């Protein structure tokens, strides 16, 4: 090697995976056949654990991913891959497989979170701070874990955000023609301790799972103000739901900010999330909700999901909707150090309530409406069009990373309470008084037969031209459409993103979820704007009952699915 000229050395680096056996390095080439079900959804490929445990299943997808990212006959020489997950069952097995496949691909370095733990926002932070070419997140987010639960894998690109559709679609196409995959024949890496190891010519570095994320968050918030708030007796309860948010929350809330020990509950990541359904909403975080509604409730309650990118906020005896949370943060962001010069714009997913639209209008900044899926915010963030973004499914974040960030959102609320002197409830009521209240709820019909669900949506699409002017449940429909999005940055288009039925001051949205692993989930979003302050305390579902009845009638949900009521209401 030392006698080779520069041109030949460069060729060997680019093609290391082809010639490594000649140099005595054992790289296995393993024959395989495609799996027909490897088309990723809005957040990567999610299936039951038992599906991923099939021989070659994970390997096929990773090989297809590397082939798309680097080209079928190119190595990843000189590149850095970030790797981690939410600690769910099968993460440890998958991490060892991916390390060996990355080594076979010729990656110069693989950064792995200690214990295999890296929250989704932490992965984004590591990619961005360390100049990695991308990262692999092993998570099914808010889906249940354990041997009988779900598993997932997704790829994040160099900006730290989820891979765009052009990449995920290409990965699926490649997975359907794959005939072999390559991996190093090497021992497992001891990922439970921080250190540096080597697999073939790839340096594998096990890193602290909190350090990079904490460094990014320090630049966003006034840690001194929050320390003083806790020192004055402010109390909160953070439910990490036995998932990956626990270690980071302990490091920041208890160690950095001085919150009392025990502020973070269910803090140890467990492969089955301790039996929790790690979805931070009032249905699946009932223990936290009960605590916050009790006489002994602290000032603030919060929860995060499996990979710690989602969040739920509660005040004492008061539940904050995700849509209102985004709007409150947008209204007061200028009080936070990282956003003291104001925000450039905001974005929300189409089904998310229009509360933030009204804040953006008052601030005279643009508000973008995108399809569901965090990847759609990435271009807007990179282009500097927006500072804040969020979605109704408990995801909120800013331009500090390229993923939703549960801990970031929770720190926003703590910091705002610290600098305004207002309680959680007071901050929300201020929003309502100034901009009106958006009564908002999501009704999920889970486990619907996929054929029936698709038939329901197709029927709605065929009837769209005739809906305007019709009256259902006493409400007249003004217009109806199938939401399509043209990206203002790269010009790409996304069609059939959900059906919108609009009325005067109200709307109903229908779409199928892309995050489940069995059957289909029909999601129905209900929103009623109420400017009159005296009506703001009307019970939520009572205020939305006419729209719920309208949704049943318009979509013929009971007739087509047999469901007279949703499975979950959030």
């Amino acid at each position: 090697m030392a006698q080779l000229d520069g041109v030949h050395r460069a060729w060997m680096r680019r093609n290391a995976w082809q010639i490594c056996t000649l140099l005595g390095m054992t790289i296995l080439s393993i024959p395989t056949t495609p799996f027909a079900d490897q088309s990723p959804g809005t957040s990567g490929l999610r299936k039951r654990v038992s599906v991923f445990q099939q021989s070659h299943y994970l390997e096929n997808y990773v090989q297809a991913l590397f082939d798309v990212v680097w080209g079928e006959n190119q190595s990843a020489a000189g590149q850095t891959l970030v790797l981690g997950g939410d600690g769910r069952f099968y993460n440890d097995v998958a991490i060892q497989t991916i390390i060996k496949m990355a080594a076979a691909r010729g990656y110069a370095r693989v950064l792995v979170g200690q214990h295999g733990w890296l929250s989704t926002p932490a992965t984004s932070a590591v990619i961005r701070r360390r100049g990695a070419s991308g990262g692999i997140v092993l998570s099914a987010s808010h889906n249940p874990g354990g041997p009988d639960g779900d598993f997932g894998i997704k790829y994040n690109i160099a900006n730290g955000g989820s891979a765009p559709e052009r990449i995920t679609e290409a990965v699926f196409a490649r997975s359907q023609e794959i005939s072999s995959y390559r991996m190093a024949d090497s021992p497992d890496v001891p990922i439970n301790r921080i250190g540096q190891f080597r697999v073939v010519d790839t340096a594998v570095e096990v890193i602290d799972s909190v350090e990079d994320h904490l460094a990014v968050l320090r630049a966003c918030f006034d840690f001194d103000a929050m320390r003083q708030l806790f020192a004055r007796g402010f109390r909160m309860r953070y439910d990490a739901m036995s998932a990956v948010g626990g270690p980071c929350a302990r490091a920041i809330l208890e160690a950095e900010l001085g919150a009392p020990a025990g502020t973070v509950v269910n803090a140890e990541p467990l492969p089955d999330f301790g039996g929790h359904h790690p979805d931070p909403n009032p249905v699946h975080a009932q223990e936290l909700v009960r605590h916050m509604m009790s006489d002994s409730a602290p000032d603030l309650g919060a929860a995060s999901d499996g990979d710690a990118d989602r969040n739920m906020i509660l005040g004492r005896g008061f539940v904050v909707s995700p849509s209102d949370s985004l709007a409150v943060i947008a209204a007061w962001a200028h009080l936070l150090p990282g956003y003291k010069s104001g925000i450039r714009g905001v974005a929300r997913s189409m089904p998310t309530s229009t509360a933030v639209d009204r804040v953006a209008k008052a601030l005279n900044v643009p508000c973008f409406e995108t399809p569901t899926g965090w990847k759609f915010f990435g271009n807007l963030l990179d282009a500097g069009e927006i500072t804040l973004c969020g979605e109704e499914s408990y995801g909120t974040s800013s331009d500090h990373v390229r993923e939703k960030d549960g801990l970031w959102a929770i720190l926003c609320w703590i910091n705002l309470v610290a600098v305004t002197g207002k309680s959680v409830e007071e901050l929300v009521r201020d929003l309502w008084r100034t901009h009106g209240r958006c009564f908002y709820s999501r009704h999920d019909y889970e486990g619907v037969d996929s054929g029936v669900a698709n038939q329901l949506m197709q029927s709605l699409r065929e009837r769209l031209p005739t809906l305007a002017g019709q009256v259902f449940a006493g409400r007249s429909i003004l217009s109806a459409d199938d939401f399509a999005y043209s990206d203002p940055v790269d010009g790409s288009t996304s069609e059939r993103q959900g059906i919108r039925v609009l009325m005067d001051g109200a709307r109903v949205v229908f779409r199928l979820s892309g995050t489940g692993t069995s059957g289909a989930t029909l999601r129905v979003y209900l929103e009623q704007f109420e400017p009159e302050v005296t009506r703001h305390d009307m019970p939520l579902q009572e205020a939305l009952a006419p729209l719920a009845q309208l949704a049943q009638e318009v979509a013929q949900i009971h007739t087509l699915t047999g469901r007279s009521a949703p499975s979950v209401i959030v």
Side-chain angles (χ1 to χ4, degrees):
M1 287 284 288
Q3 297 177 354
L4 294 174
D5 61 32
V7 173
H8 286 88
R9 287 198 198 96
W11 182 90
M12 292 185 75
R13 283 196 299 271
R14 288 195 305 272
N15 299 279
W17 64 270
Q18 293 176 313
I19 63 171
C20 54
T21 50
L22 299 177
L23 302 176
M25 305 170 188
T26 306
I27 300 294
L28 305 176
S29 180
I30 301 171
T32 190
T33 55
F35 293 87
D37 63 345
Q38 293 197 324
S39 177
T42 55
S43 298
L45 181 66
R46 293 182 185 174
K47 301 290 180 182
R48 293 290 190 187
V49 168
S50 57
V51 174
F52 272 97
Q53 287 177 319
Q54 297 175 92
S55 295
H56 313 306
Y57 192 90
L58 173 67
E59 292 88 341
N60 275 21
Y61 192 78
V62 174
Q63 185 68 49
L65 171 63
F66 287 165
D67 285 353
V68 167
V69 172
W70 302 115
E72 293 178 37
N73 297 311
Q74 297 292 321
S75 85
Q79 304 298 326
T80 296
L81 178 73
V82 178
L83 175 61
D86 59 12
R88 68 178 54 231
F89 186 85
Y90 199 62
N91 263 22
D92 52 350
V93 175
I95 282 173
Q96 298 296 341
T97 296
I98 295 169
I99 288 173
K100 294 168 188 177
M101 293 187 71
R105 198 70 194 199
Y107 275 95
R109 188 167 62 149
V110 177
L111 304 176
V112 185
Q114 188 180 13
H115 307 294
W117 300 341
L118 269 181
S119 72
T120 292
T123 302
S124 184
V126 174
I127 292 172
R128 292 170 64 81
R129 290 192 79 226
R130 305 203 183 199
S133 58
I136 291 177
V137 182
L138 300 174
S139 172
S141 187
H142 54 296
N143 294 11
D148 298 320
D150 296 338
F151 188 78
I153 177 173
K154 73 166 186 164
Y155 184 71
N156 283 27
I157 59 178
N159 74 346
S162 301
E165 286 183 322
R166 60 179 173 77
I167 292 180
T168 57
E169 290 171 357
V171 172
F172 174 59
R174 176 60 183 151
S175 76
Q176 298 308 287
E177 59 189 22
I178 195 168
S179 60
S180 66
Y181 60 85
R182 297 179 294 277
M183 64 189 304
D185 183 15
S186 65
D188 287 352
V189 172
I191 61 174
N192 289 337
R193 60 187 176 91
I194 292 175
Q196 295 191 7
F197 310 91
R198 184 160 291 276
V199 177
V200 191
D201 278 341
T202 298
V204 179
E205 183 178 351
V206 180
I207 63 173
D208 186 288
S209 61
V210 176
E211 180 182 351
D212 289 84
H213 191 201
L214 174 56
V216 171
L217 293 173
R218 284 185 194 279
C220 298
F221 301 110
D222 186 340
F223 274 55
D224 286 338
M226 291 189 285
R227 287 190 194 98
Q228 292 167 17
L229 179 68
F230 281 108
R232 292 195 300 268
F234 177 83
R235 294 293 177 265
M236 70 172 292
R237 184 182 182 91
Y238 179 108
D239 191 341
M241 305 189 87
S242 301
V244 76
C248 195
R250 271 182 170 167
I252 294 178
L253 298 177
E254 297 181 9
E256 284 278 331
L257 301 181
T263 292
V264 183
V265 299
N266 297 314
E268 186 70 19
L270 299 173
D272 65 349
F273 304 120
H276 294 113
H277 186 151
D279 194 352
N281 64 51
V283 174
H284 297 300
Q286 291 183 9
E287 179 185 352
L288 175 64
V289 173
R290 283 194 297 269
H291 187 72
M292 293 304 299
M293 299 300 135
S294 70
D295 293 338
S296 59
D299 302 285
L300 186 149
S304 56
D305 68 333
D307 60 336
D309 62 351
R310 298 172 189 247
N311 74 94
M312 179 173 68
I313 302 294
L314 304 97
R316 187 183 290 120
F318 190 85
V319 179
V320 182
S321 80
S323 298
D324 281 348
S325 180
L326 173 62
V328 168
I329 292 171
W332 295 95
H334 62 282
L335 298 181
L336 306 175
Y339 314 93
K340 61 185 178 182
S341 60
I343 58 176
R344 292 182 295 277
V346 297
R348 62 167 175 85
S349 65
M350 180 272 288
T352 301
S353 99
T354 57
V356 75
D357 300 46
R358 294 173 171 83
V359 173
K361 183 177 181 181
L363 294 175
N364 195 30
V365 298
C367 179
F368 296 86
E369 184 179 29
T370 74
T372 295
W374 207 261
K375 57 194 172 187
F376 292 102
F377 296 139
N379 278 355
L380 297 171
L381 290 164
D382 285 347
E385 296 287 344
I386 62 171
T387 304
L388 304 177
C389 45
E391 57 188 16
E392 53 74 34
S393 55
Y394 294 84
T396 325
S397 197
S398 83
D399 56 1
H400 69 293
V401 290
R402 292 298 181 269
E403 290 279 7
K404 45 186 172 281
D405 189 342
L407 192 55
W408 174 89
I410 293 162
L411 290 174
C412 276
W413 278 89
I414 299 171
N415 205 158
L416 290 178
V417 170
V419 298
T420 65
K422 297 176 182 289
S423 69
V424 170
E425 181 175 354
E426 287 170 338
L427 286 166
V428 176
R429 289 192 178 278
D430 277 356
L431 173 78
W432 293 348
R433 277 192 298 270
T434 304
H435 302 285
R437 180 178 182 183
C438 291
F439 286 98
Y440 182 85
S441 183
R442 190 185 81 210
H443 291 195
D444 288 355
Y445 296 80
E446 297 178 333
V448 177
D449 177 83
S450 296
V452 170
N454 287 323
Q455 178 189 351
L456 184 150
M457 293 298 290
Q458 182 58 32
S459 175
L460 275 172
R461 289 189 169 98
E462 291 172 354
R463 292 161 48 220
L464 281 176
T466 68
L467 288 178
Q470 292 195 47
V471 177
F472 296 87
R475 299 293 297 266
S476 178
I477 294 176
L478 297 180
S479 65
D481 64 11
D482 196 352
F483 180 64
Y485 177 69
S486 295
D487 192 302
V489 178
D490 65 14
S492 63
T493 59
S494 300
E495 299 180 339
R496 299 166 68 93
Q497 294 298 311
I499 292 171
R500 301 183 296 183
V501 178
L502 307 179
M503 291 139 283
D504 184 21
R507 65 176 185 151
V508 175
V509 174
F510 302 89
R511 60 178 292 272
L512 300 182
S513 171
T515 60
T517 59
S518 60
T521 296
L522 170 65
R523 289 190 165 162
V524 182
Y525 308 84
L526 311 173
E527 180 178 5
Q528 176 67 57
F529 177 64
E530 179 53 69
E532 178 53 54
V533 175
T534 60
R535 295 177 58 83
H536 286 173
D537 284 327
M538 189 175 181
L540 176 62
Q541 297 306 325
E542 180 182 329
L544 295 174
L547 290 182
Q549 181 60 36
L550 180 144
Q552 272 281 356
E553 294 180 12
V554 168
Q556 301 175 334
I557 296 174
H558 178 66
T559 301
L560 293 175
T561 70
R563 308 286 185 89
S564 58
S567 312
V568 176
I569 296 176
V570 294

